[in-house]
């Protein structure tokens, strides 16, 4: 009798697992970066129209939030792909391994620039990365001199740099879970932080203190977390012409009638300046795939093929129309081969 009960329970578990696969996981699940979201969404829509597979579900959770979901485990109840506006961190790889996510395929799909923009009706800003650090860091070098730090005293842009306007420092930006936030802190604030030789020297002498100085954003209201919705930042900039906002180049490209980008270190963010690396606040874009899910969740290989096709990510591909900066032809060829072979990191 006991054996019969065990067999019945086992059969029920197998049947339940099969039902989950059939009912809930006949389409691809994608989470992650709000910057990669519009690119992934247009690929998903074309894939859904052009194949017999269902259109993938794409969620904008932020890069950090996406990796948190991605690394929870392998199986039909877990997501398949995570979009990212930065490379996966070693700590996130370790989290994945702890939960059995061991074979991860990394796909760099293109480039994007991070812009610091304001309303098109306002006066355009020209900033340095040092200006951005002094305006937004929690602690800054003492204005009176010496190798000491003080709580950020700057209230207006003119306080930061006499050539800038006397308007209040008010910057709308992404939360800590965002890859855009990570990239902005590293590419803009840290670069500005290094303008002070004694802080730059800390990178080798005391890396923890160096990161605390260069990476921690002020929390006194000058920087306003505006969530993962970049379109909402664009709307708020129009409502408040004195504010600046931080988001990806693709959103600038789609809203040039509403917002304008600041010049950073003498460089304007353009398709060309991001592609050739002359715009200083630019970064690569990625997505990550669980190899174990390919062939289990229907259509993943076909979705990867669509995303890495020349008609999508090529020089004249439809993703460039959405603001993505393409990789070189040689790089696309190399990465495309890795994707087709499902080569793990």
């Amino acid at each position: 009798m006991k054996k019969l009960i065990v067999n019945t329970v086992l059969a029920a578990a197998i049947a339940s697992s099969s039902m989950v696969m059939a009912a809930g996981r006949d389409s691809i699940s994608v989470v992650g970066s709000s910057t990669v979201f519009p690119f992934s969404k247009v690929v998903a829509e074309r894939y859904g129209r052009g194949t017999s597979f269902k259109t993938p579900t794409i969620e904008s959770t932020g890069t950090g939030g996406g990796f948190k979901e991605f690394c929870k485990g392998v199986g039909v109840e877990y997501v398949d792909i995570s979009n990212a506006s930065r490379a996966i961190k070693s700590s996130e790889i370790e989290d994945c391994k702890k939960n059995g996510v061991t074979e991860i395929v990394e796909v760099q799909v293109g480039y994007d620039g991070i812009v610091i923009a304001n309303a098109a009706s306002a006066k355009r800003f020209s900033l340095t990365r040092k200006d951005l650090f002094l305006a937004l860091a929690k602690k800054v070098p003492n204005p009176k001199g010496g190798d000491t730090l003080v709580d950020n005293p700057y209230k207006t842009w003119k306080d930061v740099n006499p050539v800038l306007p006397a308007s209040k420092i008010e910057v709308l930006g992404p939360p800590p879970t965002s890859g855009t936030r990570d990239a902005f802190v590293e590419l803009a604030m840290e670069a500005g932080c290094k303008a002070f030789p004694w802080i730059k020297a800390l990178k080798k002498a005391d890396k923890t203190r160096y990161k605390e100085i260069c990476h921690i954003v002020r929390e006194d209201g000058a920087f306003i977390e505006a969530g993962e919705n970049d379109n909402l930042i664009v709307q708020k900039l129009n409502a408040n012409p004195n504010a600046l906002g931080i988001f990806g180049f693709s959103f600038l490209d789609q809203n040039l009638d509403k917002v304008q980008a600041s010049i950073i270190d003498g460089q304007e963010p353009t398709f060309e300046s991001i592609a050739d690396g002359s715009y200083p606040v630019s970064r690569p874009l990625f997505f990550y795939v669980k190899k174990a899910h390919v062939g289990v969740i229907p259509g993943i290989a076909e979705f990867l093929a669509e995303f890495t096709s020349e008609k999508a990510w090529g020089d004249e591909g439809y993703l460039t129309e959405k603001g993505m900066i393409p990789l070189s032809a040689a790089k696309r060829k190399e990465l495309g081969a890795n994707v087709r072979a499902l080569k793990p990191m």
Side-chain angles (χ1 to χ4, degrees):
M1 181 67 176
K2 188 180 290 186
K3 186 175 180 181
L4 176 61
I5 292 172
V6 170
N7 287 342
T8 302
V9 171
L10 182 60
I14 292 171
S16 175
S17 177
S18 299
M19 285 172 67
V20 169
M21 175 71 83
R25 294 297 276 119
D26 59 349
S27 66
I28 301 165
S29 176
V30 184
V31 296
S33 166
S34 62
T35 301
V36 182
F37 172 79
F39 305 129
S40 191
K41 190 169 184 291
V42 70
V43 173
E45 289 168 351
R46 295 210 177 205
Y47 162 90
R49 290 197 302 267
T51 71
S52 59
F53 300 104
K54 286 192 174 181
T55 301
T57 300
I58 316 289
E59 292 184 66
S60 177
T61 62
T63 296
F67 282 134
K68 188 174 180 179
E69 289 299 314
F70 182 80
C71 290
K72 281 184 176 178
V74 173
V76 295
E77 66 269 42
Y78 302 109
V79 300
D80 311 306
I81 296 171
S82 188
N83 294 327
S85 53
R86 59 163 171 81
I88 190 170
K89 297 176 181 177
S90 57
S91 59
E92 289 162 337
I93 293 173
E94 287 305 310
D95 287 341
C96 275
K97 285 180 180 178
K98 288 175 187 175
N99 294 315
V101 184
T102 56
E103 288 192 300
I104 302 171
V105 181
E106 179 186 75
V107 186
Q108 183 182 343
V109 292
Y111 296 101
D112 183 41
I114 299 173
V115 302
I116 297 87
N118 63 350
S121 59
K123 185 177 179 181
R124 189 179 198 183
F125 272 67
S126 181
L127 300 163
T128 66
R129 285 175 287 177
K130 181 181 177 181
D131 294 335
L132 289 167
F133 166 68
L134 290 175
L136 297 176
K138 184 173 183 177
K139 289 187 177 290
V140 296
N142 193 329
K144 296 178 181 179
D147 295 351
T148 60
L149 297 169
V150 296
D151 290 337
N152 197 322
Y154 303 121
K155 304 298 181 185
T156 72
W157 288 101
K158 194 174 184 67
D159 294 338
V160 169
N161 186 335
V163 304
L164 295 175
S167 56
K168 179 183 175 183
I169 298 170
E170 195 171 358
V171 180
L172 303 164
T177 54
S178 168
T180 298
R181 167 81 164 259
D182 290 338
F184 174 77
V185 165
E186 181 181 340
L187 296 170
M189 286 183 57
E190 184 178 337
C193 188
K194 288 179 183 177
F196 298 90
W198 70 272
I199 300 179
K200 184 178 180 180
L202 286 174
K203 189 167 187 179
K204 289 185 178 179
D206 189 343
K207 194 170 183 178
T208 300
R209 185 164 182 245
Y210 169 82
K211 286 191 75 173
E212 285 175 353
I213 297 169
C214 297
H215 287 207
I216 297 180
V217 177
R218 65 195 295 184
E219 299 172 335
D220 58 357
F223 181 89
I224 303 156
E225 288 185 11
E228 296 284 1
N229 188 340
D230 293 342
N231 284 313
L232 184 60
I233 295 180
V234 170
Q235 292 171 20
K236 288 186 175 182
L237 293 182
N238 272 285
N240 182 3
N242 291 321
L244 294 177
I246 300 167
F247 46 82
F249 173 78
S250 60
F251 286 93
L252 171 73
D253 196 48
Q254 294 166 35
N255 293 280
L256 289 173
D257 58 327
K258 301 182 184 74
V259 291
Q260 61 187 339
S262 303
I263 294 169
I264 306 296
D265 287 333
Q267 292 290 333
E268 182 180 354
T270 63
F271 192 95
E272 293 74 21
S273 67
I274 295 169
D276 66 20
S278 58
Y279 179 67
V281 196
S282 57
R283 39 107 186 245
L285 301 177
F286 303 87
F287 65 81
Y288 292 82
V289 186
K290 290 174 186 170
K291 185 175 179 179
H293 283 202
V294 179
V296 177
I297 306 303
I300 292 180
E302 290 80 2
F303 180 69
L304 301 185
E306 175 67 28
F307 215 134
T308 58
S309 67
E310 281 299 298
K311 66 180 179 179
W313 74 349
D315 291 333
E316 305 296 329
Y318 59 76
L319 292 177
T320 64
E321 298 172 7
K322 292 289 182 180
M324 179 177 282
I325 315 300
L327 303 165
S328 68
K331 188 71 172 175
R332 294 197 303 271
K333 184 177 180 181
E334 174 193 343
L335 292 177
N338 290 344
V339 170
R340 288 188 294 276
L342 295 174
K343 184 179 178 181
M345 297 170 56

